[in-house]
Amino acid sequence: MAAPSADLTLVQKHLQAVKSMTADFAQADRAGKVLTGTLTLKQPGKIRFQYEKGVPILIVADGKSLWFLDYSVGQKQRWPIGGSPLGILLDPSRDMSAIATVVPTGNPELVSVDAADPKHPEYGRINLVFKRNAAAPNGLMLQGWVTLDSQNNRTTVKLSNQKFNGAIADNAFRFNDPTRNTGKK
């Protein structure tokens, strides 16, 4: 089994090797409510959580900001990419060693990384779980993560059907502004 620092380097190299990814996701909140959908990621800094039909929520990062959109109430919230626990996925050029540590799992097939910015605890924290898989970029397959926001709200995301480094158009990260009747962001 690799040493923790070697595993952290392996995770960093994996994230740098993933230029794009699509996956199905199942997201559970702390009350156990599960939502599903499709995740689309493109480096640098773009991610989209397209929820199942009938869920009026969209989470999207356009390369600069992470947006939470709730179409049912016409609400949008914005954070700088680095101000979100997802920042570790969205900026693979960032040196992870200052914000991340490998957490023992007891399973040599899994690599668990806990990340939080010690200078900004208000950003929350994320625990990423990878499975060793020779067919995946740099030998790791992202299985999912658990985030804790600054109010200690826990969200668990599990991934399946991961596909790496396919072509993804930049317009996949555009969205309709829920606070306006017309126009696109």
Side-chain angles (χ1 to χ4, degrees):
M1 188 157 88
S5 61
D7 277 343
L8 193 59
T9 300
L10 189 65
V11 166
Q12 180 101 44
K13 288 181 177 178
H14 164 78
L15 293 175
Q16 290 169 346
V18 174
K19 303 303 179 202
S20 70
M21 180 178 79
T22 58
D24 296 330
F25 72 85
Q27 172 187 309
D29 64 19
R30 69 181 187 180
K33 182 178 179 185
V34 177
L35 299 174
T36 60
T38 304
L39 165 81
T40 306
L41 176 130
K42 183 177 181 181
Q43 298 297 358
K46 295 178 178 140
I47 197 166
R48 181 182 187 102
F49 292 87
Q50 184 68 56
Y51 289 85
E52 63 200 87
K53 188 176 172 102
V55 176
I57 296 171
L58 176 67
I59 297 173
V60 63
D62 59 10
K64 296 181 179 77
S65 300
L66 180 69
W67 297 86
F68 173 83
L69 308 152
D70 185 336
Y71 293 98
S72 67
V73 294
Q75 176 188 19
K76 68 179 179 180
Q77 292 178 281
R78 176 188 165 277
W79 299 269
I81 286 174
S84 154
L86 289 173
I88 194 165
L89 285 176
L90 299 175
D91 184 6
S93 65
R94 183 176 180 190
D95 178 14
M96 292 175 60
S97 64
I99 62 164
T101 57
V102 173
V103 180
T105 64
N107 181 342
E109 291 299 306
L110 298 179
V111 177
S112 177
V113 174
D114 194 48
D117 188 334
K119 295 178 185 159
H120 296 281
E122 70 275 15
Y123 292 172
R125 64 187 317 108
I126 190 168
N127 178 268
L128 301 162
V129 177
F130 299 86
K131 186 171 186 181
R132 295 181 198 279
N133 181 331
N138 222 55
L140 292 176
M141 177 82 71
L142 180 60
Q143 299 295 294
W145 59 84
V146 176
T147 59
L148 279 176
D149 68 15
S150 57
Q151 289 82 39
N152 254 355
N153 292 313
R154 174 194 287 281
T155 303
T156 303
V157 173
K158 293 184 180 175
L159 302 178
S160 60
N161 300 318
Q162 299 92 323
K163 294 178 180 66
F164 298 99
N165 298 329
I168 297 173
D170 284 338
N171 68 1
F173 306 96
R174 292 194 183 131
F175 57 89
N176 291 320
D177 186 333
T179 62
R180 291 190 213 135
N181 290 331
T182 60
K184 292 220 176 213
K185 192 238 102 313

